[in-house]
Amino acid sequence: MSVTLPSKWKPEKSLAIDMLVTCPETPIQEVADKVGVTKSTIYSWMKDPDFVEVFYQKYMVTFGSRLPNVLN
């Protein structure tokens, strides 16, 4: 299963989500630097319901199958 991104999104948002999902301990400033946007842009994206939904979907695709093991 893959995550479908909104067609209007620039690649920077997708890269930010990938980094935030796979390395959640990465500081927001480092994510912003690697993506090529400001830290405030990342925080703005994190308030966008579409961004949050895609983040959640990506997280579930990446880690969802492991959740039952963690819960057990």
Side-chain angles (χ1 to χ4, degrees):
M1 180 175 152
S2 65
V3 176
T4 304
L5 302 174
S7 60
K8 62 185 178 196
W9 276 22
K10 293 184 178 181
E12 292 86 351
K13 277 189 176 182
S14 177
L15 180 58
I17 285 178
D18 286 343
M19 290 181 68
L20 292 167
V21 167
T22 58
C23 301
E25 69 281 352
T26 304
I28 296 297
Q29 184 63 58
E30 187 175 331
V31 174
D33 291 343
K34 287 186 179 182
V35 170
V37 298
T38 65
K39 186 165 101 172
S40 62
T41 298
I42 299 288
Y43 283 123
S44 175
W45 289 345
M46 293 170 80
K47 293 177 185 175
D48 175 15
D50 288 336
F51 187 87
V52 173
E53 178 62 27
V54 172
F55 176 91
Y56 175 76
Q57 289 177 13
K58 179 79 173 182
Y59 182 87
M60 292 308 291
V61 166
T62 304
F63 298 108
S65 64
R66 294 185 221 167
L67 287 178
N69 291 335
V70 171
L71 296 174
N72 288 334

